[in-house]
Amino acid sequence: MRFRPLLACAPVLWLAGCELLQESPFAQPTGRTTSQVAAVGNCQAEVPSFADEACLLYDWVAFGLTSQRGDRTWRDPMLTRLQGNAVERRLARAVTLAWGSERQWDQAAGLFKADLAAAPAELQPLLRYWLNELEGRRAMAGRLESAQGELAGTEQRRAALEVENAALAEKLEALTAIEQSINLRQQTE
């Protein structure tokens, strides 16, 4: 009886142990050599590029996360730094704009769509994912705007009905007063 709670926890402990073994810092990532893993440790570009293949994905993911967390004080100077017509600059600008204001989303989507095919093949799935996520946010914002428009229309209709209702109430009150007046005359005759 005293061991029942311990036996109930055994599968959870076993699964947790398996997870820890899989995430061991000493485990070698599959498909990568030791030199490739060491090269990834040196990836820390502030502005991503296509130049360093070993750092390509890591730098772009880091830049995307920084852009997502960044505010306007980070974004505005970064957009200035990313000026130019090089594909990597335009795509970095798209990533930066994708996490900006809703007004910047259209520009970001246009840049993604125009330059995605020119990006290195191993970076394209990440860029496509970001574009799809951006398109999802744009669609959601569109639906929200539409719903707000419908709500505003409903509010306007409700306000118009209230005005009409007040006018009908005044007319009803006037008719009631006329009817009472007629009834008083008939009673006095």
Side-chain angles (χ1 to χ4, degrees), residues 79-140:
L79 287 171
T80 302
R81 284 180 65 188
L82 294 172
Q83 291 303 314
N85 289 325
V87 172
E88 60 193 13
R89 292 287 179 162
R90 288 171 50 88
L91 286 170
R93 208 164 49 244
V95 172
T96 305
L97 290 168
W99 293 105
S101 66
E102 285 185 39
R103 287 178 284 163
Q104 294 173 323
W105 292 355
D106 291 335
Q107 187 180 359
L111 289 168
F112 273 128
K113 289 174 183 175
D115 295 323
L116 192 134
E122 63 185 79
L123 187 60
Q124 287 182 13
L126 176 64
L127 296 173
R128 199 169 288 111
Y129 172 79
W130 284 339
L131 173 60
N132 290 339
E133 195 277 333
L134 174 62
E135 292 292 355
R137 281 188 281 135
R138 288 174 67 204
M140 197 177 311

Side-chain angles (χ1 to χ4, degrees), residues 137-168:
R137 281 188 281 135
R138 288 174 67 204
M140 197 177 311
R143 287 191 300 270
L144 179 62
E145 187 176 317
S146 173
Q148 288 173 341
E150 289 175 14
L151 182 61
T154 302
E155 284 295 316
Q156 289 173 348
R157 285 191 296 276
R158 187 187 61 79
L161 287 173
E162 283 181 0
V163 168
E164 185 180 343
N165 190 21
L168 289 174

